[in-house]
Amino acid sequence: MIASIFISTIVIIFVFGVIYVLLNRGKYETRVGFFAVIIIYFINEITYFISFNLSAENFFNTPFALIIWYISIITRNISIGMFASMHNFELNKDSRVRYLPTLIYIFIGGIILSLLFVPDSFIVIQKDFEYFYLFNHVGLLTSIILFNFCIILFSWVIQIKGYHNFADKKLGKFNYIVILLFSLNIILYSLYLITLNTYFKLLHSIVYLISIGFFLVVIIKKPNLFAVITNKIYDLIIFHKSGILLYSFNFQTREEVDESLLKGSILIGISHILANLTNVEAQVTHIKMKNRAVVFNFNTKLGFATLLIAKHRNKILESAVNKFMQDFSKINEEYLLNLDRLIDVSKFKNAYKLVIKNFSHYLTDV
């Protein structure tokens, strides 16, 4: 009875979340690869929770219930390992040891998988209307507990050290709550495996549903979750081919500025490109800077270029710059085509609303 309530609840939450995201898909942007990983993660999550609760129901025969229990353990390890790895990769994009935690998870997970299929790994006990699974292999239980401990330890170390990398500090605070619920959930699950106490199982399922519900709230309230978790953009600068600065916006201060902060070789490089703007095809290109990524896009017909300075370069930023260029070209085409020697840069103040339209996800909360 309780299992059916939990399963029904998780299905309702997931269905609601999927419908909401589909109806509001215009608000969401994410990398295709990252989105695919998210889908796989959630499939594992729902498979785990359903199999975990079903495996206790005695309306299945013992061998079939044991298979369901095995599925719950495998999908559980995969899901928490994926979550911890995604968390690590997003907060440690520039770390030289960013792959180390994931390699440790894979190593311990491999041990668990090999021990899981040792004959008679569990003793199935039927009590009242439930099945309980007593570990018959101490090494298997120890490996699972070690795996869970490493997940919690690394997640907190990475969260604390990587908090400054969050472009959106409110999102970073949300993430602290997510990690707290994530850790509590793992602890309750581990206690249940050790003690087989029904109360720990019940608390684990309740905290699990709360965690998923909270994550859904974060997705609804913070649609930039998958686009800008740790990315940050600093400046958007628009140049005319004559070298005149048409418009500049600083995302950290959220202010329009009259001067570009670019100096040295990068400015010389831009000037060279602008001087030869009529000889190149319109496209997105990149300029390398130390600790910065630059997306450079130019329009040869109208004779202007847009430069975006960000922390990381990705397809989402390139797409946003493209859309900004299209909008800017459309509303300023007539003026740009009929420029005389005197350029009134105040005419390009209309770019502000285009910045808000195309880069709203990156307007960080300090």
Side-chain angles (χ1 to χ4, degrees):
M1 178 65 181
I2 296 178
S4 62
I5 294 174
F6 284 142
I7 292 171
S8 298
T9 304
I10 195 67
V11 169
I12 290 171
I13 291 174
F14 272 101
V15 170
F16 175 79
V18 169
I19 292 174
Y20 179 87
V21 171
L22 289 176
L23 292 176
N24 297 273
R25 57 186 178 275
K27 296 180 180 179
Y28 297 88
E29 294 181 61
T30 185
R31 303 182 298 277
V32 175
F34 187 73
F35 185 69
V37 171
I38 289 293
I39 291 175
I40 295 171
Y41 165 72
F42 278 118
I43 289 174
N44 273 281
E45 282 287 3
I46 195 168
T47 302
Y48 155 69
F49 193 71
I50 291 174
S51 58
F52 175 74
N53 282 278
L54 282 182
S55 64
E57 299 299 308
N58 66 354
F59 51 75
F60 295 119
N61 59 46
T62 303
F64 188 71
L66 187 59
I67 291 173
I68 298 175
W69 174 249
Y70 272 61
I71 292 172
S72 74
I73 292 178
I74 293 170
T75 53
R76 176 64 176 173
N77 289 335
I78 292 174
S79 63
I80 64 175
M82 287 183 68
F83 181 89
S85 296
M86 288 187 292
H87 176 254
N88 170 48
F89 290 152
E90 288 302 319
L91 265 64
N92 288 305
K93 283 185 171 74
D94 301 320
S95 173
R96 294 181 179 179
V97 294
R98 59 182 301 211
Y99 295 104
L100 181 60
T102 300
L103 292 175
I104 293 174
Y105 302 152
I106 293 173
F107 176 73
I108 302 177
I111 294 175
I112 293 171
L113 193 62
S114 63
L115 294 176
L116 191 61
F117 293 99
V118 171
D120 302 320
S121 294
F122 296 95
I123 299 174
V124 183
I125 302 171
Q126 184 173 348
K127 182 179 179 182
D128 298 327
F129 300 103
E130 288 188 283
Y131 286 128
F132 292 88
Y133 301 89
L134 180 65
F135 281 84
N136 199 31
H137 195 302
V138 177
L140 176 58
L141 177 59
T142 303
S143 298
I144 292 175
I145 300 305
L146 177 62
F147 182 78
N148 292 343
F149 172 77
C150 289
I151 291 280
I152 293 174
L153 176 63
F154 292 150
S155 294
W156 277 104
V157 170
I158 291 165
Q159 174 65 24
I160 293 170
K161 291 185 65 176
Y163 176 73
H164 70 279
N165 288 328
F166 276 93
D168 186 335
K169 296 308 179 187
K170 285 185 179 179
L171 186 58
K173 292 172 183 176
F174 268 129
N175 211 61
Y176 265 113
I177 300 175
V178 170
I179 295 300
L180 178 62
L181 291 172
F182 178 68
S183 301
L184 180 59
N185 187 276
I186 293 175
I187 291 171
L188 290 170
Y189 177 75
S190 300
L191 289 173
Y192 171 68
L193 294 182
I194 295 170
T195 66
L196 298 182
N197 188 298
T198 305
Y199 290 108
F200 285 132
K201 179 184 178 183
L202 182 64
L203 285 173
H204 163 67
S205 295
I206 292 172
V207 172
Y208 182 92
L209 291 175
I210 292 173
S211 303
I212 295 296
F214 180 78
F215 192 57
L216 179 61
V217 170
V218 174
I219 291 175
I220 292 173
K221 293 177 69 69
K222 307 295 293 185
N224 62 344
L225 176 66
F226 301 125
V228 292
I229 293 179
T230 58
N231 205 359
K232 184 183 294 185
I233 53 180
Y234 302 99
D235 292 282
L236 177 75
I237 304 162
I238 305 174
F239 289 93
H240 186 256
K241 63 182 179 181
S242 62
I244 295 174
L245 176 67
L246 301 181
Y247 182 82
S248 181
F249 184 85
N250 183 283
F251 284 85
Q252 304 308 294
T253 62
R254 299 192 183 190
E255 294 179 349
E256 298 168 321
V257 293
D258 296 327
E259 295 181 355
S260 170
L261 299 179
L262 294 176
K263 297 179 181 179
S265 59
I266 186 68
L267 185 57
I268 295 172
I270 292 170
S271 298
H272 176 74
I273 294 173
L274 289 169
N276 296 278
L277 198 58
T278 55
N279 299 322
V280 293
E281 297 295 329
Q283 60 182 354
V284 176
T285 188
H286 313 290
I287 301 172
K288 292 184 178 181
M289 295 176 64
K290 185 178 181 180
N291 301 322
R292 293 289 186 271
V294 179
V295 178
F296 191 75
N297 191 312
F298 38 87
N299 185 312
T300 55
K301 178 183 176 182
L302 301 180
F304 76 95
T306 297
L307 183 143
L308 182 76
I309 303 175
K311 186 174 183 180
H312 302 289
R313 185 186 72 217
N314 57 43
K315 294 295 183 182
I316 296 172
L317 277 184
E318 292 175 7
S319 176
V321 171
N322 270 326
K323 292 175 182 177
F324 176 85
M325 287 284 287
Q326 292 169 7
D327 292 341
F328 186 83
S329 299
K330 184 177 180 180
I331 65 175
N332 294 295
E333 182 175 8
E334 184 177 350
Y335 184 72
L336 287 168
L337 285 173
N338 296 285
L339 282 177
D340 53 25
R341 293 183 179 180
L342 180 63
I343 299 178
D344 181 5
V345 295
S346 66
K347 296 285 187 179
F348 302 102
K349 292 293 183 180
N350 53 24
Y352 178 77
K353 64 181 181 180
L354 303 182
V355 170
I356 303 301
K357 174 185 175 183
N358 292 287
F359 301 100
S360 59
H361 291 342
Y362 298 89
L363 292 171
T364 62
D365 297 316
V366 180

